[in-house]
Amino acid sequence: MSAADGQKIAMRGAGYYSANTVGAKYVIDKVGDLVVKAVAAMPRLADGQPFAVADFGAADGGTSMDMMRRLVGAVREREPNRAISITYTDLPHNDFSTLFRLSQGLLGTSTEVPLAETPGLYIFGSGTSFYRQIVPDNSLSFGFSATAMHWISTRPCMIADHVQAVGATEAERAQFRAQGLRDWETILLARARELRSGGRLALANFCVDEEGRYLGHTTGADMFDSFARHWRDLARAGRISETEYVNATFQQFYKTPDEFAAPFLNPASPVSQAGLRLENIFTMVTPCPYAEAFRVHGNAQAFARAYVPTLRSWSETVFANALDPSRPAADRSAIVDDLYGAYEADVARAPEGHRMDYVHCVTEIVKE
Amino acid sequence: MSAADGQKIAMRGAGYYSANTVGAKYVIDKVGDLVVKAVAAMPRLADGQPFAVADFGAADGGTSMDMMRRLVGAVREREPNRAISITYTDLPHNDFSTLFRLSQGLLGTSTEVPLAETPGLYIFGSGTSFYRQIVPDNSLSFGFSATAMHWISTRPCMIADHVQAVGATEAERAQFRAQGLRDWETILLARARELRSGGRLALANFCVDEEGRYLGHTTGADMFDSFARHWRDLARAGRISETEYVNATFQQFYKTPDEFAAPFLNPASPVSQAGLRLENIFTMVTPCPYAEAFRVHGNAQAFARAYVPTLRSWSETVFANALDPSRPAADRSAIVDDLYGAYEADVARAPEGHRMDYVHCVTEIVKE
C-alpha cells in the first residue's frame, strides 16, 4: 500500500462518525428513502433465491451501512424468511478488511447489532471493477452506488492547463466526455446482465447539474480551479516541471443529467435493448459540512486546517503520481506539502466562498 | 496490522512460487484429483443456478489457484455455459486485496490467463468465520478447505508446560479435544445448511495420523517440543515470567481420523441428521521441502537459516502475544528474536531430524 493509499484509508476509518462523512452519508440516506419504496414494489423472488444486493464502489462500507440496514428491513418486512446477500465491490486494493470488520461490529462505535449478525444475511466482497460483470446473470435484485462512477476507466489524454475535465479545453473535454459516455454504457450493460427481471438500480453520482454546478463549484471559489492555480504556481516557481504540471489530471468525468439519461431515451440503444428503463432522475446539492461549521464557529484558521486535509485525502495521489518518479520520495512529499500548504494559507486568508458542496445526480433504473 | 501479520503475509506473497508453498500446494493438488472425479459424478443444477464453490480459510488463495482452475475446467467440461462462483473465506483481517490481485493476475508470475478472467466465473471474498454459515442455504455445490480447520474457535485453557495440545497433560488435552470435537460439529452443521443436495466437501486438515504422526513430528525432533524447550529456556534464564511461559499456547487441536469420522458413524448425530455422509477418509504425509532440500545441499547453516524463519512466519504471534503487554515493543521483539535465534542455532548445530513434514487427514463428504 502506498503512503497516499494509507492516508486515504486512515481518513475513512478515523472519520467514520466525523463531519467528514456527514455529507456522503446524507446523500446515501436520501437514496435510502427511494430504496425502501422501491423494494415494496418489487416482484417477489422464487423460493430459495436470495434477495441479492450489491454496493458498487463501496470503499469500507461505512457510509452505506445505515442504508443497508433499512434495505434489509424493507425486504424482511415483506418476506421475513428471505435470505439476503450483500456484495460490496471495489478495486482490488480496497480495504476489504475494514469493510468486513465494520460490518461485523469489530470497528466503529455503533451500538446497534452488527449488520453481519442479521440472521440469514450473507456479506461478500468483490475486487472486480464495476466496468465488468461482477455477479452472475439474472441474480441481482438491487444494485446501489454512491459517489463512485465519476472515476472513468482510462484517462484519454492529459489536461494541459488544468487538473480536471471541468477546466479543460473544449477539445480535451470532448475526449473525457466520450470516455465517460462509453464507460456509462459499459457500466449499465454489465448491470443489465446481472439484474433479474424487475431488479433495480439506485445510483447517486457526481454530476454537472442543470445550473452548471459540480463538486466544489456552487457558490464562491471553484475547488478545481484552486487546485490548478496552486499547482501552476509551483510550476512558475520552478518547483515542478511543465510535464509534471500537465500530468496532474484527475481520471474523472462529471456527466450532466441529460448525459446520464441519454442511453434510456433511445429505444434502439444497447442499454434500452438490454431491458433497462430510467424511472426517475434528479439532482441534489449537499452542503459542505466544513463550510457550514465555519459559518457557526467563524474561525478562519480552524476552518482552513480542517478543510484542506479533507481535500487532500482524496486528491493527493493525483499530484504525487504526477511527479517525476526519479525524484527522491522526500522531495515528492515536500512538493505535495507545499501545494496543500499554499491552498491552506489561501483559505485561512480569505475563507469566504471555499466550500466542497456535493452535487449529485440520482438515477433510479429498472430492468424489465 | 501487527508486524507479525505483516511478516506472515510477506511470507505468503514473496514465497508464492518458492519452496515455502511447495508442501501446501502438493496437498491441495492431491485433493484436486479427488475434486475433478467428484465433479464428474455430481447431479446437475437447475438452469440459471451457478455452480458455487467455497474455499474455507483460503488465506491469499495462491496455493489453491491451480486446483481452482482444474475445478472450473471439470465443471465446464460437463456444462460449458454453467456460471461458476468461487467464494474465498477467511477471518476479516485476512489479506483479501492480495487474494483479489492474485486471482486477477496483478501479482505473481503465472503466465496463465488470470483465474478471474475466465468467462462466467465470479470471485468473491467473505470475512465470516467458518464457524458460522457463510453462504445461503442450499446454494453451495463444492466446499474445499486445506490446512485451516485445526484452528479452534476458542482456547479452553492455557497449556501449563508446553505450547501445543500434542504436548499437553491428559487433563489439558481433554479440554482441547472437547473443544475441537464441538468445533468440528459446528463446522459440519454450517456446511450442511450451505450445501445443496448432492453437494460435496473435500477437506484436507492437519491431524494425528494412525501412527501418531503430526505436523513436525514424523521422524526425528518434535517441532512443538523444540518450541516448548526453547521457550522454557527463556523462562529458566529469567528472560520471561512463568505466566508468559504458560500463555504461549497454540489455539489448535489435531484430530485423529477416528475423531474426524465419529459424527458420521452415528446415524443419530446432528451431522448425520443434517444429511452429511462421509464417502472417503485417508491420511497423507507431505515431506518438508526444507529438510528435503538439505538432504541435497548438505549445508546445515543454510538449512537453519531457511527452516526456522518458516516456522516463525506462522508461530511468532503466539509467542509475541504471550508476553506481558506492558513490556516495551522493542523488548518483546528482542525476546521473540531470542527464541527463534536459539532454535536456529540448535538446528545449525544438529540439523538431522529437524523437519516440518505435513500430516493431513482428507475427508470427502456428500450431502444427500
Side-chain angles (χ1 to χ4, degrees):
Chain A
M1 187 192 298
S2 74
D5 281 351
Q7 170 157 0
K8 200 189 305 181
I9 290 158
M11 179 274 288
R12 283 178 193 145
Y16 183 49
Y17 282 103
S18 76
N20 205 35
T21 56
V22 165
K25 190 171 177 305
Y26 174 86
V27 171
I28 292 174
D29 288 346
K30 182 146 183 178
V31 175
D33 297 343
L34 309 176
V35 168
V36 168
K37 262 187 250 171
V39 166
M42 282 177 71
R44 296 200 179 209
L45 283 158
D47 278 353
Q49 295 304 299
F51 189 99
V53 179
D55 184 343
F56 298 101
D60 69 14
T63 50
S64 68
M65 209 152 285
D66 282 345
M67 195 217 68
M68 287 298 180
R69 283 181 202 281
R70 294 180 67 193
L71 206 175
V72 167
V75 173
R76 285 285 164 75
E77 195 165 309
R78 296 177 76 210
E79 302 185 85
N81 300 314
R82 178 68 65 188
I84 301 172
S85 69
I86 303 177
T87 302
Y88 288 100
T89 88
D90 214 303
L91 292 173
H93 62 259
N94 185 51
D95 187 3
F96 287 98
S97 293
T98 291
L99 192 158
F100 290 133
R101 279 185 271 201
L102 269 178
S103 63
Q104 295 187 20
L106 304 175
L107 284 178
T109 58
S110 176
T111 54
E112 296 190 78
V113 174
L115 188 65
E117 287 185 15
T118 311
L121 175 64
Y122 307 96
I123 295 179
F124 305 100
S126 166
T128 302
S129 150
F130 52 57
Y131 290 111
R132 293 171 54 193
Q133 186 173 343
I134 297 173
V135 300
D137 287 1
N138 309 310
S139 70
L140 184 66
S141 287
F142 211 101
F144 168 81
S145 184
T147 317
M149 294 172 173
H150 57 292
W151 294 101
I152 55 180
S153 63
T154 184
R155 199 157 49 180
C157 62
M158 294 299 176
I159 296 169
D161 196 20
H162 204 272
V163 297
Q164 220 267 8
V166 293
T169 64
E170 262 314 310
E172 289 164 347
R173 188 152 57 238
Q175 291 188 66
F176 274 78
R177 177 179 295 111
Q179 187 61 52
L181 300 184
R182 272 195 302 273
D183 281 350
W184 180 230
E185 183 176 288
T186 300
I187 287 170
L188 290 171
L189 293 177
R191 304 295 83 77
R193 291 191 295 275
E194 293 168 344
L195 283 168
R196 67 178 175 105
S197 179
R200 282 168 174 272
L201 301 172
L203 312 176
N205 286 308
F206 279 151
C207 72
V208 176
D209 78 359
E210 301 82 349
E211 301 177 34
R213 294 176 295 191
Y214 51 81
L215 180 74
H217 174 90
T218 45
T219 60
D222 179 294
M223 186 186 64
F224 287 112
D225 284 351
S226 299
F227 275 129
R229 181 163 45 83
H230 291 296
W231 193 237
R232 170 52 80 193
D233 285 349
L234 289 170
R236 279 212 193 89
R239 192 86 176 81
I240 61 171
S241 72
E242 186 62 22
T243 302
E244 291 173 321
Y245 172 76
V246 170
N247 283 348
T249 294
F250 284 81
Q251 190 170 320
Q252 300 179 342
F253 183 73
Y254 297 160
K255 291 181 287 297
T256 64
D258 285 349
E259 288 164 349
F260 280 109
F264 301 96
L265 298 182
N266 174 6
S269 78
V271 169
S272 295
Q273 292 291 311
L276 295 189
R277 303 287 171 260
L278 182 63
E279 283 216 339
N280 192 9
I281 179 166
F282 61 91
T283 62
M284 61 187 195
V285 176
T286 307
C288 174
Y290 293 90
E292 294 300 305
F294 172 57
R295 285 170 54 158
V296 176
H297 65 64
N299 182 331
Q301 296 284 344
F303 169 51
R305 270 201 309 275
Y307 179 69
V308 173
T310 308
L311 310 189
R312 182 168 183 160
S313 68
W314 56 264
S315 62
E316 180 182 50
T317 48
V318 172
F319 298 103
N321 292 335
L323 297 172
D324 192 319
S326 72
R327 283 184 189 270
D331 186 29
R332 277 179 278 149
S333 296
I335 292 170
V336 173
D337 285 347
D338 287 350
L339 171 70
Y340 292 98
Y343 200 150
E344 189 175 317
D346 182 14
V347 173
R349 200 165 45 237
E352 292 303 330
H354 287 287
R355 48 188 304 121
M356 188 181 74
D357 295 331
Y358 294 135
V359 183
H360 279 88
C361 179
V362 178
T363 49
E364 283 193 273
I365 297 162
V366 64
K367 183 177 174 192
E368 292 193 338
Chain B
M1 187 192 299
S2 73
D5 281 351
Q7 172 159 356
K8 199 189 303 182
I9 289 159
M11 178 276 287
R12 283 178 191 145
Y16 182 52
Y17 281 102
S18 75
N20 205 36
T21 56
V22 165
K25 191 172 176 304
Y26 174 87
V27 171
I28 292 174
D29 288 346
K30 182 145 184 181
V31 175
D33 297 342
L34 309 176
V35 167
V36 169
K37 262 188 250 171
V39 166
M42 282 178 70
R44 295 197 180 212
L45 282 158
D47 277 352
Q49 294 306 300
F51 189 98
V53 179
D55 184 343
F56 298 102
D60 69 14
T63 50
S64 67
M65 207 151 286
D66 283 344
M67 195 218 67
M68 287 298 179
R69 282 180 202 281
R70 293 180 66 192
L71 207 176
V72 167
V75 173
R76 285 286 166 75
E77 195 167 308
R78 296 177 76 210
E79 302 185 84
N81 300 314
R82 177 69 65 188
I84 300 172
S85 69
I86 303 178
T87 302
Y88 289 99
T89 89
D90 213 303
L91 292 173
H93 62 258
N94 185 51
D95 187 4
F96 287 98
S97 291
T98 292
L99 192 158
F100 290 133
R101 279 185 271 201
L102 268 178
S103 63
Q104 295 186 20
L106 304 175
L107 284 177
T109 58
S110 175
T111 54
E112 296 191 77
V113 175
L115 188 64
E117 288 186 14
T118 312
L121 175 65
Y122 306 97
I123 295 180
F124 305 100
S126 166
T128 302
S129 149
F130 52 57
Y131 290 111
R132 293 172 54 196
Q133 186 174 343
I134 298 173
V135 300
D137 288 1
N138 310 310
S139 70
L140 184 65
S141 287
F142 211 99
F144 168 80
S145 184
T147 318
M149 294 172 173
H150 58 291
W151 294 100
I152 56 179
S153 64
T154 185
R155 199 157 47 180
C157 63
M158 294 299 175
I159 296 169
D161 197 19
H162 204 272
V163 296
Q164 221 268 8
V166 293
T169 65
E170 261 314 310
E172 290 163 346
R173 189 154 55 236
Q175 290 188 65
F176 274 77
R177 177 178 295 111
Q179 187 62 51
L181 300 185
R182 273 195 300 275
D183 281 349
W184 179 230
E185 182 176 289
T186 300
I187 288 170
L188 291 172
L189 292 178
R191 304 296 83 79
R193 292 192 294 277
E194 293 168 344
L195 283 168
R196 66 177 176 104
S197 178
R200 282 168 173 272
L201 301 172
L203 312 176
N205 286 309
F206 278 152
C207 71
V208 176
D209 78 359
E210 301 83 349
E211 301 177 32
R213 295 176 294 190
Y214 51 82
L215 180 74
H217 174 90
T218 44
T219 59
D222 180 293
M223 185 186 64
F224 288 111
D225 284 352
S226 299
F227 275 130
R229 181 162 46 83
H230 291 296
W231 194 237
R232 170 53 82 193
D233 285 347
L234 288 171
R236 279 214 191 89
R239 192 84 177 83
I240 60 171
S241 73
E242 185 62 22
T243 302
E244 291 173 320
Y245 172 75
V246 169
N247 281 348
T249 295
F250 284 81
Q251 190 170 319
Q252 300 178 342
F253 183 74
Y254 298 158
K255 292 180 287 297
T256 64
D258 284 349
E259 288 164 347
F260 279 109
F264 301 95
L265 299 181
N266 174 6
S269 78
V271 168
S272 294
Q273 291 292 310
L276 295 190
R277 303 286 171 260
L278 181 63
E279 283 218 338
N280 191 9
I281 181 167
F282 61 91
T283 61
M284 61 186 195
V285 177
T286 307
C288 174
Y290 294 89
E292 294 301 305
F294 172 57
R295 286 171 54 159
V296 176
H297 65 63
N299 182 330
Q301 296 284 345
F303 170 50
R305 270 200 310 274
Y307 179 69
V308 172
T310 306
L311 310 190
R312 181 167 182 161
S313 69
W314 56 265
S315 61
E316 179 183 50
T317 49
V318 172
F319 298 102
N321 292 336
L323 297 171
D324 192 320
S326 72
R327 284 185 189 268
D331 187 28
R332 278 181 276 148
S333 295
I335 292 170
V336 173
D337 285 346
D338 287 351
L339 171 70
Y340 292 98
Y343 200 151
E344 189 174 317
D346 182 13
V347 173
R349 199 167 43 238
E352 291 304 329
H354 287 287
R355 47 188 306 120
M356 187 181 74
D357 293 331
Y358 294 135
V359 183
H360 278 89
C361 178
V362 178
T363 50
E364 282 193 275
I365 297 162
V366 63
K367 185 177 173 191
E368 292 193 338

